Amino acid sequence: MSMVQMNVRIDADLKDDVDEILKRRGKNPSSVVRELWDFIKDYGDTPDLQTKAEKADREAEKQRRLKAMEDGATLWSRTLKEAGLSDDGEHPWANMTYKEMRDAAYEDVVDEYAHK
């Protein structure tokens, strides 16, 4: 097997910090690069490498989306309450979940179609 040499430019402080970590694990930069190249060859893709900041950003985005979904799920009942339609419980659909309303609407469409 023929070998090639690769040259990489990297921040000196970052290199020193990582070299120390690799040393504690019994590795060196060359072995880690070889492992990375083997991984890419085996899987046809790069591993999911993320910095702590990227992970934090991803988690924040996930939480934002979950909150938006939660807000969206309660939008109908909040709208009814703001319109004064659900205070007395007079409307059976006022406290339904989105799925319950969707299923009821589907049943109405099926019933309407069946009675034509």
Side-chain angles (χ1 to χ4, degrees), residues 4 6 10 13 15 25 30-33 40 46 54-57 73 79 95 97 105-106:
V4 297
M6 297 171 53
I10 193 165
D13 291 336
K15 181 186 181 310
R25 297 205 52 214
S30 293
S31 67
V32 172
V33 169
I40 294 168
T46 58
E54 289 169 332
K55 274 188 176 178
D57 288 347
T79 302
N95 295 314
T97 66
Y106 177 76

Side-chain angles (χ1 to χ4, degrees), residues 20-34:
E20 184 59 36
I21 295 167
L22 293 177
K23 183 179 178 183
R24 288 194 307 261
R25 297 205 52 214
K27 297 186 180 257
N28 61 51
S30 293
S31 67
V32 172
V33 169
R34 282 192 293 274

Side-chain angles (χ1 to χ4, degrees), residues 7-107:
N7 295 313
V8 178
R9 294 195 183 279
I10 193 165
D11 179 80
D13 291 336
L14 176 61
K15 181 186 181 310
D16 292 342
D17 291 345
V18 173
D19 282 350
E20 184 59 36
I21 295 167
L22 293 177
K23 183 179 178 183
R24 288 194 307 261
R25 297 205 52 214
K27 297 186 180 257
N28 61 51
S30 293
S31 67
V32 172
V33 169
R34 282 192 293 274
E35 289 173 10
L36 175 61
W37 257 236
D38 286 339
F39 181 96
I40 294 168
K41 181 181 178 208
D42 289 348
Y43 293 95
D45 199 1
T46 58
D48 186 17
L49 303 173
Q50 294 180 28
T51 64
K52 286 181 181 180
E54 289 169 332
K55 274 188 176 178
D57 288 347
R58 181 180 245 170
E59 182 60 26
E61 177 62 12
K62 177 181 169 185
Q63 292 304 319
R64 185 194 67 75
R65 288 181 181 198
L66 287 171
K67 173 122 176 59
M69 288 171 58
E70 182 180 311
D71 290 347
T74 60
L75 180 62
W76 182 248
S77 72
R78 282 195 327 257
T79 302
L80 290 172
K81 285 178 185 175
E82 289 171 5
L85 297 175
S86 63
D87 291 341
D88 58 7
E90 174 180 325
H91 306 283
W93 39 264
N95 295 314
M96 285 183 168
T97 66
Y98 170 77
K99 183 182 180 319
E100 290 169 333
M101 285 187 284
R102 185 193 66 209
D103 291 347
Y106 177 76
E107 288 173 15

